[in-house]
Each structure stands twice: as structure tokens, then as C-alpha cells.
Amino acid sequence: MTAFEMPTAKTQSAAPVKPVDMAAIARAAAILEAGGLVAMPTETVYGLAADADQEAAVTATYRAKGRPLNHPLIVHVASADDIPWWAEITPEAQKLADRYWPGPLTMVLKKKPRCGSWVTGGQDTVALRCPSHPWAHALLAAYGGPKHRGLTAPSANSFGRISPSTAQHVREDLGEKPAGKLDLILDGGPCEFGIESTMINLSGSRPEILRHGVITRAMLEEVLDCPVPDAGADAPRASGRLKSHYAPKTRAELLPAARLPERAAELASEGIVLAVMGPQMLRALLPANAELAAFVEAPDDVLSYGASLYEALHELDHAFEGNDCTRGRILIAAPADTPEWAAVNDRLKRATA
């Protein structure tokens, strides 16, 4: 099996991964065995892990997040060898696993009887992923064992809110017991890619994209040697497809960069405090009467932008902590509307919906 390879994003989110603490991994495995909840880092975002075979444990993740019970989860596994234990493997799935696992790719396949409805939201399909982050990989390797156990791991945040790309984001939102909701938070450092995995549906008559990520349409089509369109309304329900998702508490707007200074002037005249994300040159174009709570410079390359996106949204939202959020507004300059920016634009549109 060939591991996924991609140029590293040039951002603080691409900081060297912390050395894996095997004692912490062993503690996490014991907690999972007992039906507990563990936040684990992946190369995309931090996930809220539970033993996929234990209905009570998986249901607890729904409660911790405030997630609807019919919203299916992804089962994370140690390797492609685990696929037949959870799903009906297809030639397309084998090709993609050979190229992009471990890595930020999730495949939706027809489920095996082992996979409970508490994982699939009552559907006959299951989403599978093999993450490449050393901490996640170590935990899955230690926990999977001869039973090929898997971990459900939705993003470790309150449902619909900004996804966590650092352990601190998890602590601020869900937290550890006794004050918080989780039994353990594994801190493996910032996530490398910072946005959720690409998700492809392989359970129907043709491959189709359910969620965009750093594995692009062109990369999928190169491996499968066929068109891979976006999924239609008849596709399986999947994570991250709701119109409003990844949202800050403060109201946010996505605007063309050229329109942003004008919109800032309109809001400033209403006494609205602003937090802005966009190219550095925009800062000089903001109106003089605008009260600026924060300005985050947007990277100009897609990998760096994606890796820093959720960190930036957290920073912009934090700018209004302790104040009346109704007087605040986050303005985001839209990146280029090109295929390579599809994943970033998808997250921004849902965050501002």
C-alpha cells in the first residue's frame, strides 16, 4: 500500500507533529475499550473517537456534540485490510485505497452486517477512512487488533460549529471531564490539512463526490479513469453536507474581495464592529470609521489556506468574546472560484450560510 503524499501546507498548522506518546495511546485505548470518548488528532481535523462496535459509546458522541442521530458517522480503520470487515469492497475502492490511504480520503460503500445502524444513521452504507496522522494511526493500530475494530470519529466540536484543528479548540468547546464532556484529549499538535477529508460515494452506479477536500476531483478521476461528478440529492446522507455548517457564533458574510470595502463601510455606518479575513492589501482599503476587532491575512495558496482556515475562523470569532455578538460581523473575502479551491469555498459557503 502506498501512503498518500502531498506537498505540506506552509502554515503553522504544518508545524512538526508532536512525537507520539505511546503511554497516552495506551490510556486512550483503555478508555475506548470501556466505552469512553477520546479526542484524537488526524491530518484533517480533531475527531471525537468511540468504539464503532459499541452502540452506547457511539450514541454518547451524538449527545456530546448535539448531533442528530440520523446523521451518519465515519468509521476510521488502521488499513485497507479492514475494509472487508466493515463494507463490501469494490475495485474502485481498492484502487483509491492503494493510492490515497492512509490519507484524507473517505469512501462510502455498502455496509456489512457488523456495522450497526447507530453508525450509519439507518442507511445501508458506511463511510470508511484510514487517517495518516501518526497519533491517529498509532491509536488505530493499537486498538484495531485481530478483530479489525474501528473508531467513529466525527469532528470534536459542537454540531454545526467551527471544526477543531488544534487540541485547544477541543478543550474550549467540549472539554475534558469532570467539567467537560470527554474522557481524554490527545494533543498531537495542529492538524496538517485543517479541513475535513474528501468523501466519495462508491455505493451506487457511478463514483460521485459527497464532500470536497484536499484530494481533488482531478486526482480521483486520474485514479479511476472516469468522470467523478458532485453527488445529487439521491446520494447517501453524509457528514458536512448541511447548508449551514462550520459556523462561527458571530454572523459571517462571504463577499468578493472587490466588494468587501464597500460592505465594511455600510456596516461601519451602522455601528457594527468588524473582523475581516482576506488579502493583506484589503486592510488599507477598509473605511477609516470602521471599528476593526481583528484582521486575519488569508494565505494565497490553497493548501496553506485550508490548513489555517478553522484557526482563522476561531480567531475571528474570539475577537467578539465578552461582547454583544449582534454588534459584530465577520467579513471574508472569497478566494478564487476555481476547481482547486472547491473544498475551501465549500467550507466558507457553509460557514456563512
Side-chain angles (χ1 to χ4, degrees):
M1 181 173 64
T2 302
F4 168 75
E5 294 181 359
M6 174 176 280
T8 300
K10 294 169 290 198
T11 168
Q12 71 169 23
S13 294
V17 174
K18 294 182 178 181
V20 177
D21 182 343
M22 292 309 297
I25 294 296
R27 182 182 170 204
I31 289 170
L32 293 166
E33 182 85 48
L37 304 181
V38 174
M40 69 175 184
T42 78
E43 70 277 20
T44 57
V45 299
Y46 273 70
L48 177 49
D51 186 335
D53 287 317
Q54 297 188 45
E55 181 176 2
V58 174
T59 303
T61 67
Y62 284 95
R63 290 198 302 272
K65 285 176 59 68
R67 181 185 178 105
L69 286 171
N70 67 348
H71 210 53
L73 301 172
I74 298 170
V75 176
H76 295 68
V77 295
S79 77
D81 294 339
D82 296 313
I83 295 176
W85 291 80
W86 292 93
E88 302 287 348
I89 191 166
T90 66
E92 293 84 3
Q94 189 63 61
K95 289 179 182 179
L96 290 170
D98 288 344
R99 177 70 66 88
Y100 293 126
W101 275 19
L105 178 68
T106 297
M107 299 185 288
V108 174
L109 300 162
K110 290 293 185 182
K111 78 178 190 72
K112 288 282 186 71
R114 171 185 188 166
C115 191
S117 61
W118 55 88
V119 171
T120 67
Q123 299 183 117
D124 65 353
T125 56
V126 61
L128 298 176
R129 183 162 102 81
C130 174
S132 61
H133 193 288
W135 284 66
H137 198 72
L139 180 56
L140 286 161
Y143 196 70
K147 295 181 180 179
H148 298 267
R149 292 188 296 188
L151 300 175
T152 54
S155 57
N157 60 289
S158 298
F159 184 68
R161 292 303 181 190
I162 307 169
S163 297
S165 55
T166 68
Q168 184 59 28
H169 294 159
V170 184
R171 293 188 192 101
E172 292 171 355
D173 187 350
L174 301 181
E176 278 184 318
K177 294 176 180 176
K181 299 178 178 180
L182 311 184
D183 296 291
L184 179 66
I185 298 173
L186 294 174
D187 187 351
C191 300
E192 181 180 5
F193 295 115
I195 57 175
E196 292 78 5
S197 60
T198 302
M199 187 179 294
I200 183 170
N201 178 28
L202 299 173
S203 69
S205 59
R206 65 173 186 180
E208 54 187 3
I209 295 175
L210 289 165
R211 182 174 71 190
H212 287 273
V214 296
I215 306 292
T216 65
R217 188 193 314 277
M219 295 163 72
L220 296 170
E221 291 179 342
E222 188 272 328
V223 173
L224 298 178
D225 195 27
C226 70
V228 185
D230 287 349
D234 59 344
R237 296 189 307 279
S239 299
R241 299 196 75 208
L242 297 178
K243 180 179 179 181
S244 178
H245 215 59
Y246 318 114
K249 296 176 182 177
T250 309
R251 183 177 170 185
E253 298 180 18
L254 182 64
L255 304 161
R259 161 78 172 130
L260 196 146
E262 178 186 356
R263 180 59 176 153
E266 293 171 356
L267 293 169
S269 67
E270 299 173 19
I272 302 294
V273 181
L274 304 178
V276 178
M277 180 180 180
Q280 184 60 34
M281 50 82 63
L282 269 181
R283 187 164 194 160
L285 301 177
L286 294 174
N289 65 330
E291 185 179 347
L292 193 62
F295 184 93
V296 175
E297 182 178 359
D300 56 8
D301 71 278
V302 66
L303 283 177
S304 295
Y305 197 116
S308 62
L309 174 57
Y310 292 141
E311 178 66 39
L313 289 177
H314 279 285
E315 180 179 342
L316 294 167
D317 208 17
H318 285 337
F320 298 103
E321 282 185 350
N323 298 308
D324 183 0
C325 285
T326 60
R327 288 195 62 246
R329 190 72 53 84
I330 296 172
L331 300 183
I332 303 171
D337 188 15
T338 56
E340 62 268 28
W341 286 87
V344 166
N345 279 315
D346 171 79
R347 303 312 191 275
L348 288 173
K349 287 174 183 176
R350 296 180 196 276
T352 55

